[in-house]
Amino acid sequence: MSTTRFQSEGASDAPASVPRVHVVTFGCQMNKYDSLLLEGRFASRGYVTTPTMDDADVILFNTCSVREHAEERTYSWLGEIKHAKASRPNLVIGVMGCMAQRMEEEVFRRAGHVDLVVGTREFQRLPELVDELRERRANPERFASAERRILATDTGVAVQVDRSEESYGGGRHAYLAVMRGCDLNCTYCIVPATRGRAASRPIEALVEEARWMVAGGAQVLTLLGQTVNSYGTDFPAPKKGQPRFRGRQGRPSLADLLYALADIEGLERIRLVTLHPSYLTLDLAQALAEIPQLDRFLPLPAQSGSDSILKAMKRGYTTDLYRERVRMLRDRVPDVELGSDWIVGFPGETAADFAASLEFCDEMGFAVNYIFKYDPRPTTSSAEGLSDGVSGEVKKARNQALLAQAERVGLRRMSAFVGQDVRAFVERPAERGVQRLFGRTLHGLPISLDGHSDLCGKTVRVRVTETTAYGLSGVRAVH
Ligand code: SAH
Ligand code: SF4
Ligand code: F3S
């Protein structure tokens, strides 16, 4: 009897001679995209992906550095597999992603059983690097013990992607990194250090990859970038006689990419993660108004509602500027929903600054909010220059207070849909409940509804009956 990767709890069904790789992913959606990309690279070199570490020949950790807790989790996982290395000497253990980029050799010092540390722009080389490592290990007379480890953390290299020879295995919901890196310099943020300078991929290459995903069954595409709406700003301006686009000085912009993707037959929904207020343009608002496949939801992190904190964060906008951009957006797309990230307890944040955040959350009416307690990250200017002035107790209390406010505001936004018919794209069976389905409204809000799983992948009309602060629920509307 054959078993699939998902049915078999213990091990993959590949013959023993086929090498097996297992990737553990922490952090954001870009890491998820990168892990799938890498699994494809390994597959084209003859590997299978195994669902467990127990029978893996290569175990990779795709890591996050955004808060200290994320790094601690990786070290605790690494600690747990130390014994496996002792009993399986041929096992290869690698650390990739943001923490690898940030810590480089320090990973080897803290976890002596790690063989490879590979940064955010070089991870596609991992299959070759694993071969090289094996080669070095097999020839101890030619390679000193220090050379039986590999560090690859150049951030100057462009990430080029060609998956056309592989088969897409990512399911109905696909991620697509359209740009990576960040040219801004928020004083709290480690990302520019871990992900490097902004680098966008050409529109044609992205359309080609999206078509490949759709041909393999994807219907929803989430476009990813650290600041996804800065897409194209790193391209050179077109020369005389070359085609001109909607971006600054004729450069390609996110709006151009969206119009190109909207032509793909079978692509039902397009989502964006994450936008920066400074790059919110009229062209993007127009695209949102005109492209029906695009979710009318924008994650547009405000971070704080206090001008002096925004200045200390070097966010590049004031609350007035933020208001102005949102006004421009809502003029064209009156029903757009917004999401925000918030940092509470930034150094120097007073009770009045914090009260301004509570107020701003309410004023802007954010439907979805993610709240973080400020965490000083090594090498960032807020950690090195400013004291971490707000006590743990205060941070905790502010976190609770903003969460409560976010719940009130979220509930208010969601409640506006109760009694209405909305269109929702059904993604999958719900985790709980028989004949319950999970979907998202065209405004990007989570919705649960009744129905058979054959509705998955379809857009249906739903009568909203109830809501919490975190999502809607309803029944299928009769036409
Ligand atoms: N790549 C991500 C951005 C990562 S940072 C993306 O594109 O969405 C995600 C959120 O973490 C930020 O919006 C910010 O609110 C929070 N964050 C970043 N650095 C932080 C820090 N030092 N302390 C607390 N929260 C932080
Ligand atoms: Fe983590 Fe940020 Fe890197 Fe994403 S970009 S993997 S959230 S550190
Ligand atoms: Fe981070 Fe700010 Fe860039 S939050 S990803 S430095 S825009």
Side-chain angles (χ1 to χ4, degrees):
M1 197 183 83
S2 76
T3 49
T4 69
R5 166 180 168 193
F6 301 104
Q7 285 161 345
S8 81
E9 274 296 311
S12 81
D13 54 349
S17 57
V18 176
R20 297 166 163 85
V21 61
H22 180 80
V23 186
V24 182
T25 308
F26 301 101
C28 63
Q29 292 98 326
M30 193 171 288
N31 275 8
K32 291 187 185 142
Y33 170 81
D34 288 348
S35 291
L36 274 176
L37 187 59
L38 184 63
E39 286 178 0
R41 286 282 172 276
F42 273 104
S44 61
R45 302 275 292 210
Y47 281 74
V48 294
T49 302
T50 170
T52 149
M53 291 194 200
D54 298 342
D55 68 341
D57 302 294
V58 179
I59 302 175
L60 299 169
F61 292 91
N62 194 359
T63 60
C64 177
S65 276
V66 79
R67 281 167 291 275
E68 190 181 355
H69 177 68
E71 295 188 343
E72 288 310 324
R73 270 182 67 209
T74 300
Y75 278 118
S76 108
W77 276 64
L78 283 172
E80 277 181 33
I81 58 160
K82 199 169 173 180
H83 69 277
K85 189 69 183 273
S87 57
R88 289 146 67 193
N90 288 329
L91 179 65
V92 173
I93 299 176
V95 175
M96 58 186 276
C98 286
M99 197 179 104
Q101 191 68 55
R102 185 180 92 69
M103 294 195 159
E104 304 189 296
E105 287 97 348
E106 201 186 327
V107 177
F108 294 135
R109 280 195 289 277
R110 278 190 63 176
H113 52 302
V114 170
D115 303 295
L116 294 146
V117 171
V118 179
T120 50
R121 298 271 167 116
E122 296 214 70
F123 65 94
Q124 288 192 83
R125 291 177 55 214
L126 262 159
E128 293 94 83
L129 293 176
V130 169
D131 285 352
E132 192 178 324
L133 185 86
R134 289 233 161 90
E135 165 80 18
R136 291 187 193 184
R137 277 184 179 174
N139 295 288
E141 68 293 347
R142 282 201 286 130
F143 296 97
S145 66
E147 289 171 322
R148 277 174 256 147
R149 282 175 164 170
I150 292 181
L151 177 76
T153 48
D154 190 354
T155 50
V157 288
V159 177
Q160 280 164 357
V161 180
D162 178 5
R163 307 168 86 178
S164 52
E165 301 291 305
E166 299 159 14
S167 57
Y168 171 74
R172 182 170 284 130
H173 184 177
Y175 291 119
L176 179 59
V178 304
M179 59 82 64
R180 42 180 82 227
C182 181
D183 283 346
L184 302 180
N185 220 347
C186 303
T187 55
Y188 54 81
C189 188
I190 196 78
V191 172
T194 63
R195 289 278 183 189
R197 307 268 313 176
S200 306
R201 289 178 55 203
I203 291 184
E204 311 80 68
L206 292 168
V207 169
E208 195 179 314
E209 191 174 338
R211 281 191 195 284
W212 170 83
M213 289 167 163
V214 171
Q219 291 178 289
V220 183
L221 194 57
T222 298
L223 307 188
L224 304 174
Q226 270 71 42
T227 53
V228 71
N229 52 334
S230 76
Y231 175 82
T233 52
D234 56 301
F235 288 141
K239 298 205 177 67
K240 245 195 168 145
Q242 289 181 327
R244 296 184 69 78
F245 294 89
R246 292 174 175 79
R248 209 163 59 87
Q249 296 167 328
R251 291 173 171 83
S253 72
L254 182 61
D256 294 300
L257 173 63
L258 289 166
Y259 285 109
L261 291 171
D263 285 339
I264 299 178
E265 190 76 27
L267 179 55
E268 303 285 333
R269 307 296 318 150
I270 305 175
R271 297 179 184 148
L272 301 174
V273 172
T274 291
L275 294 92
H276 190 288
S278 298
Y279 298 103
L280 189 60
T281 61
L282 193 60
D283 285 327
L284 183 61
Q286 196 63 28
L288 199 62
E290 289 175 358
I291 300 176
Q293 297 97 317
L294 192 52
D295 273 12
R296 292 181 164 225
F297 176 85
L298 295 185
L300 191 67
Q303 310 293 359
S304 169
S306 150
D307 284 335
S308 60
I309 294 298
L310 289 173
K311 195 165 172 208
M313 288 176 166
K314 290 217 174 106
R315 284 288 290 173
Y317 54 85
T318 58
T319 47
D320 269 348
L321 218 106
Y322 190 101
R323 285 185 185 95
E324 211 174 279
R325 295 280 154 104
V326 169
R327 206 172 303 127
M328 179 276 289
L329 180 65
R330 284 188 168 144
D331 272 352
R332 272 144 199 96
V333 193
D335 58 343
V336 67
E337 293 292 340
L338 298 176
S340 184
D341 292 355
W342 302 91
I343 296 178
V344 298
F346 188 80
E349 185 187 69
T350 63
D353 291 322
F354 177 65
S357 289
L358 291 174
E359 176 59 36
F360 200 58
C361 176
D362 182 60
E363 180 191 336
M364 290 292 126
F366 293 110
V368 178
N369 294 275
Y370 294 101
I371 300 158
F372 306 100
K373 289 185 279 211
Y374 171 72
D375 187 8
R377 305 304 294 129
T379 72
T380 60
S381 57
S382 67
E384 305 220 312
L386 312 163
S387 69
D388 182 10
V390 177
S391 74
E393 283 290 288
V394 172
K395 271 188 206 166
K396 204 167 150 192
R398 288 182 185 170
N399 188 49
Q400 296 291 334
L402 189 49
L403 264 173
Q405 176 76 325
E407 281 203 4
R408 276 190 292 274
V409 175
L411 187 62
R412 190 179 79 215
R413 292 304 294 192
M414 308 266 178
S415 300
F417 292 97
V418 174
Q420 286 192 25
D421 286 359
V422 297
R423 282 160 68 73
F425 181 80
V426 183
E427 291 189 5
R428 54 176 167 80
E431 263 130 40
R432 257 170 277 163
V434 186
Q435 299 254 315
R436 286 303 284 177
L437 303 171
F438 172 87
R440 270 180 202 277
T441 71
L442 305 193
H443 294 90
L445 305 176
I447 187 161
S448 83
L449 61 143
D450 59 328
H452 192 267
S453 59
D454 60 10
L455 288 177
C456 292
K458 300 204 164 68
T459 299
V460 296
R461 189 171 282 281
V462 187
R463 166 74 44 92
V464 179
T465 52
E466 273 177 80
T467 176
T468 68
Y470 301 100
L472 311 168
S473 71
V475 291
R476 283 195 69 195
V478 225
H479 297 275

